[in-house]
Amino acid sequence: TSASPTAGELLAKLGALATSAASGAKRRHDLFVMHQRRLDYFLSRAEAAGIAHAIGAARDSDPAGTVVRVLGVPVLTSDAVPTNLSSTQDAVLAVTRDAAYLYESTPEVLSLEVGAPSQYRLVVAEYAALPIRNAAAIAKMTGTGLAAVAS
């Protein structure tokens, strides 16, 4: 096994992850989630190997910004994806978005305390719930081959 997979090795893992999400959720996954440095590492390896276009790894222009796709699936990057699993590993998720719903309440002021002049304490709360219709709609990949890459 390799702690620094080639683009082809990582692509095979992404394909396996996509298959597990699609079969478990009974529909095709429609989003990969990973740390930005994992995506940059993968794209640089794919471009260096000359396979980026062939595997559908592309940066598309979109009115909302740059959209990166791998195997035709959009990739969401987030610094919230842990990079220290089992000390140094990243995680990659495959998600079927229509199997999850996000509910949010309207923010409300719970308290306002006035202290000395120009001193205020404002407490605001908002509630959120993320129910998942089918837990198999989210699949996670970790393990050998996903050792954290240099920042």
Side-chain angles (χ1 to χ4, degrees):
T1 56
S2 169
S4 299
T6 66
E9 291 169 332
L10 187 53
L11 181 65
K13 288 178 176 276
L14 289 172
L17 179 66
T19 302
S20 69
S23 63
K26 305 295 186 232
R27 62 178 66 90
R28 190 176 193 280
H29 67 286
D30 58 3
L31 183 70
F32 283 127
V33 181
M34 63 183 73
H35 196 278
Q36 181 65 50
R37 70 182 187 183
R38 172 63 53 198
L39 178 63
D40 291 341
Y41 176 81
F42 172 71
L43 289 177
S44 69
R45 296 299 188 267
E47 290 163 2
I51 63 170
H53 181 70
I55 62 173
R59 297 176 195 262
D60 299 328
S61 291
D62 184 276
T66 301
V67 176
V68 177
R69 297 178 184 278
V70 175
L71 298 173
V73 177
V75 178
L76 172 70
T77 60
S78 172
D79 290 339
V81 174
T83 59
N84 59 353
L85 301 172
S86 300
S87 75
T88 61
Q89 294 176 2
D90 292 0
V92 177
L93 304 174
V95 180
T96 304
R97 290 181 285 184
D98 69 353
Y101 299 97
L102 176 61
Y103 298 99
E104 296 177 279
S105 69
T106 303
E108 63 181 89
V109 176
L110 298 181
S111 67
L112 172 63
E113 299 173 13
V114 179
S118 301
Q119 289 186 347
Y120 303 93
R121 180 175 177 207
L122 179 66
V123 178
V124 178
E126 180 179 28
Y127 301 95
L130 184 67
I132 308 292
R133 283 192 305 191
N134 182 346
I138 300 175
K140 181 170 102 174
M141 175 175 63
T142 60
T144 303
L146 284 175
V149 295
S151 296

